Amino acid sequence: MTTIAERLGAAAGRIAKAAQVAGRDPDSITLLAVSKRKPLEDVVAALAQGQQAFGENYVQEGVEKIQALAQQQPGAQVQWHLIGPLQSNKTAQVAQYFDWVQSIDRAKIAKRLSEQRPGHLKPIQICIQVNISGEESKSGVTPDAVLALAADIAGLPNVRLRGLMAIGSGAQQEFHSMKALFDQLKDSFPQVDTLSMGMSDDLEAAIMEGATLVRLGTAIFGARTN
Ligand SMILES: *Cc1c(COP(=O)(O)O)cnc(C)c1O
């Protein structure tokens, strides 16, 4: 049986190899371990290997794990990213528990997060999700709407605009277009430093095109069977 420790090692190896092929520093690429539909014990196992950034798709499931881990290991160095769709009625919980939200596609949601972020916490870190494949089933804004949404977010006090997130459909061209959009965004908002793209099946292509954060679920925790 392959363990989480072994899979984390293999993933780090893939990232390092892809970075080398792309002529990039492997340390410029963050690995987000996507723990959706996996039990807390899997998160704990990855944390024990030094993995610090975790991604969740569903607010309720994420909050339960965040609370349970905080109780089990108070003071653990861990960072939680919401990478699934966020509805208005869940923003208060997200503002209270998550460190990042990568799936912002409306100014209204960012505004609520800013208003609801507890004062003792750092601003919530935000990526705009872009629908780069143009498929109607995918969330995210169209590329031509990114700059206007970024301007709205940048004016909010308790959130920080960090970059862009996309889910590719398999075409490397999409990652290439995302990089161009990311560079354009950085021209107007120099604080932007995160290009979140690439998953278990396509991390090499994403890193080749400039991803600074890859989101790996299956490659770390195995297939999701439930
Ligand atoms: C589930 C999910 C991932 C991880 O997918 P894998 O193919 O298991 O690596 C990454 N990003 C998002 C937005 C997801 O929903």
Side-chain angles (χ1 to χ4, degrees):
M1 216 183 79
T2 317
T3 64
I4 288 170
E6 286 164 347
R7 290 203 205 91
L8 274 169
R14 280 177 70 188
I15 291 170
K17 178 85 196 303
Q20 190 187 28
V21 170
R24 301 180 53 202
D25 177 0
D27 290 340
S28 67
I29 300 150
T30 299
L31 165 56
L32 182 73
V34 177
S35 48
K36 67 178 175 213
R37 289 159 55 199
K38 292 292 178 179
L40 180 68
E41 65 199 66
D42 287 8
V43 171
V44 169
L47 189 62
Q49 298 302 314
Q51 177 64 31
Q52 292 185 330
F54 294 89
E56 288 285 335
N57 281 62
Y58 312 101
V59 174
Q60 195 53 44
E61 179 188 343
V63 167
E64 281 168 20
K65 281 179 212 169
I66 294 168
Q67 288 178 320
L69 186 70
Q71 226 173 23
Q72 230 181 75
Q73 300 190 33
Q77 289 294 320
V78 56
Q79 200 182 70
W80 290 96
H81 296 231
L82 182 71
I83 59 173
L86 175 53
Q87 311 299 331
S88 307
N89 61 350
K90 299 265 174 66
T91 53
Q93 265 188 309
V94 171
Q96 191 177 346
Y97 288 105
F98 280 85
D99 304 291
W100 285 65
V101 178
Q102 295 196 13
S103 46
I104 291 294
D105 60 3
R106 280 176 292 163
K108 180 186 164 194
I109 299 293
K111 185 161 177 281
R112 288 176 66 93
L113 290 172
S114 183
E115 286 165 359
Q116 294 169 334
R117 185 69 164 170
H120 66 280
L121 296 178
K122 285 203 320 190
I124 199 156
Q125 312 295 305
I126 283 194
C127 290
I128 294 173
Q129 183 172 355
V130 182
N131 182 354
I132 199 66
S133 68
E135 292 165 281
E136 277 204 26
S137 60
K138 296 246 168 90
S139 314
V141 298
T142 56
D144 62 359
V146 165
L147 285 177
L149 179 53
D152 285 340
I153 294 169
L156 298 169
N158 299 321
V159 303
R160 289 284 176 278
L161 179 66
R162 294 295 295 271
L164 301 176
M165 185 270 260
I167 302 172
S169 70
Q172 181 144 1
Q173 175 59 36
E174 293 169 2
F175 293 146
H176 192 76
S177 305
M178 280 299 295
K179 177 63 160 66
L181 196 56
F182 178 63
D183 288 340
Q184 201 189 339
L185 183 68
K186 273 204 292 197
D187 284 343
S188 305
F189 303 93
Q191 77 274 23
V192 157
D193 61 3
T194 301
L195 180 56
S196 171
M197 59 185 192
M199 313 192 339
S200 294
D201 288 340
D202 56 12
L203 75 90
E204 283 83 6
I207 288 172
M208 180 57 79
E209 297 296 343
T212 70
L213 184 151
V214 292
R215 308 179 308 268
L216 307 187
T218 314
I220 306 295
F221 298 112
R224 292 176 290 275
T225 51
N226 60 341

